[in-house]
Amino acid sequence: MTAKIIDGKSLAEGLRGRIAGHAQRLKSDHGITPGLAIVIVGHDPGSQVYVAQKAKQTVEMGMHSEKYELPETASEAEVLVLVQKLNADRAIHGILVQLPVPDHIDSRNIIQTIDPAKDVDCFTPASVGKLAIGLPGPISCTPLGCLMLLRDQLGDLSGLHAVVVGRSNLVGKPITQLLLRENCTVTMAHSRTRDLPFIVRQADIVIAAVGRPEMIKGDWIKLGATVIDVGINRIDAPERGPGKTRLLGDVDFASASQVAGAITPVPGGVGPMTIACLLANTITTASLINGLMPPSDLIA
Ligand code: NDP
């Protein structure tokens, strides 16, 4: 069997089309230009690339974009002051502080200072709680992207067994909440899970969010399963030239694609959906802040 490759780029493009339409309507019907502020502290090269992409796509959607670049030496207090200023800024409907922040800053303090109404990453305790009990609000970007890919691929997910490998606050836990909402039976696995290959082999849906290149092998996958590879691992690639790198997922694509029914590539799978979902969340928060119902076609 050779798996269908799930094209995250093309699904993200469709979503961006809907986002641009809603941004336009918010402007023409209500005089609202959705605004996203991105804060980056330090010079992590990976983060710089993500932030540049996010800011560029915000502008392309006809939305207002602000980018704040603080030096590596910025204190926690300085970041907190900036976040508070953005909380009070009426032109801003979404605040994203790019993680990781330098070690001397406690990211939990930053996250808890973000106004939950502008929490487009769905990191604050209030947003996490809303997600858990199904109240309207932003939904964690990467998990929402995974869910949209799954629904596009499989339609109704009800009754399917999903195994989520990884239990981070960023990916594993929120995707589990979303899959439960979809009536999946969900197993969460992590570094202490015993006989992980056996557990993964039970899955109709595998979500790999581990951060270990090609850890999940083809012989762990049930024939015909749908595999969503969240992992982004940057690996040295001297064969491409000095200093060059390439991206690998958490799934061994070569072997898994011989067994799975459908699989996301890395890059080109979950990554493009994550950025599009961030922009979708900004439309959602801009609507809610202004007392409007968020558009229903932006969330899965
Ligand atoms: P974290 O490091 O926060 O979490 C990793 C999880 O994997 C932990 O729960 C850990 O278990 C588990 N784990 C680690 N080793 C093993 C193992 N050998 N067996 C089973 N479980 C294991 O990572 P994130 O969730 O933040 O990110 C995961 C991956 O997704 C990374 O590659 C990251 O770059 C990528 N990512 C991609 C995004 C995208 O847009 N495509 C967005 C966000 C992340 P334990 O809790 O027991 O330590």
Side-chain angles (χ1 to χ4, degrees), residues 50 141-143 146 165-172 188-193 196 208-213 215 220 229-234 248-250 266 269-275:
Y50 292 135
C141 303
T142 301
C146 294
V165 190
R167 57 174 165 180
S168 69
N169 293 338
L170 183 65
V171 187
M188 287 194 81
H190 45 77
S191 66
R192 310 293 170 89
T193 296
L196 185 59
V210 188
R212 298 193 184 276
M215 186 187 89
W220 299 21
D229 189 352
V230 180
I232 299 180
N233 304 286
R234 196 169 284 281
L248 289 179
D250 288 342
V266 176
V270 176
M273 288 301 292
T274 295
I275 300 185

Side-chain angles (χ1 to χ4, degrees), residues 227-250:
V227 178
I228 304 291
D229 189 352
V230 180
I232 299 180
N233 304 286
R234 196 169 284 281
I235 305 296
D236 289 338
E239 73 281 3
R240 293 185 173 186
K244 294 284 182 195
T245 58
R246 67 194 172 107
L247 297 182
L248 289 179
D250 288 342

Side-chain angles (χ1 to χ4, degrees), residues 261-289:
I263 186 167
T264 55
V266 176
V270 176
M273 288 301 292
T274 295
I275 300 185
C277 288
L278 170 73
L279 305 176
N281 277 341
T282 308
I283 298 284
T284 297
T285 53
S287 304
L288 288 172
I289 285 169

Side-chain angles (χ1 to χ4, degrees), residues 181-253:
R181 249 197 220 183
E182 297 294 308
N183 299 315
C184 288
T185 301
V186 188
T187 302
M188 287 194 81
H190 45 77
S191 66
R192 310 293 170 89
T193 296
R194 292 189 189 155
D195 200 352
L196 185 59
F198 171 80
I199 305 272
V200 174
R201 256 178 234 124
Q202 315 307 310
D204 304 306
I205 295 169
V206 179
I207 310 280
V210 188
R212 298 193 184 276
E214 299 186 327
M215 186 187 89
I216 295 175
K217 308 295 181 197
D219 64 358
W220 299 21
I221 308 288
K222 182 164 85 175
L223 190 68
T226 301
V227 178
I228 304 291
D229 189 352
V230 180
I232 299 180
N233 304 286
R234 196 169 284 281
I235 305 296
D236 289 338
E239 73 281 3
R240 293 185 173 186
K244 294 284 182 195
T245 58
R246 67 194 172 107
L247 297 182
L248 289 179
D250 288 342
V251 177
D252 177 18
F253 185 87

Side-chain angles (χ1 to χ4, degrees), residues 42-158:
H43 301 290
D44 178 73
S47 294
Q48 296 277 354
V49 172
Y50 292 135
V51 162
Q53 268 301 322
K54 289 168 182 173
K56 178 170 166 277
Q57 290 191 24
T58 307
V59 173
E60 285 169 359
M61 294 302 99
M63 291 156 60
H64 172 62
S65 166
E66 292 184 13
K67 194 165 104 182
Y68 294 86
E69 299 186 73
L70 302 185
E72 187 82 26
T73 52
S75 68
E76 186 172 305
E78 283 173 87
V79 184
L80 291 176
V81 167
L82 173 58
V83 170
Q84 281 157 350
K85 178 178 153 279
L86 294 169
N87 282 344
D89 187 338
R90 292 169 63 88
I92 295 299
H93 306 96
I95 302 170
L96 178 156
V97 179
Q98 184 69 37
L99 300 180
V101 288
D103 288 345
H104 64 276
I105 297 175
D106 186 339
S107 60
R108 290 170 304 184
N109 293 337
I110 308 297
I111 287 166
Q112 292 194 48
T113 304
I114 296 173
D115 179 350
K118 300 187 177 186
D119 177 20
V120 279
D121 259 336
C122 195
F123 281 169
T124 63
S127 306
V128 173
K130 279 185 180 172
L131 179 64
I133 60 173
L135 291 177
I139 297 177
S140 323
C141 303
T142 301
L144 178 56
C146 294
L147 182 58
M148 287 182 174
L149 290 167
L150 283 171
R151 290 184 72 170
D152 185 62
Q153 184 60 36
L154 297 170
D156 183 12
L157 307 183
S158 186

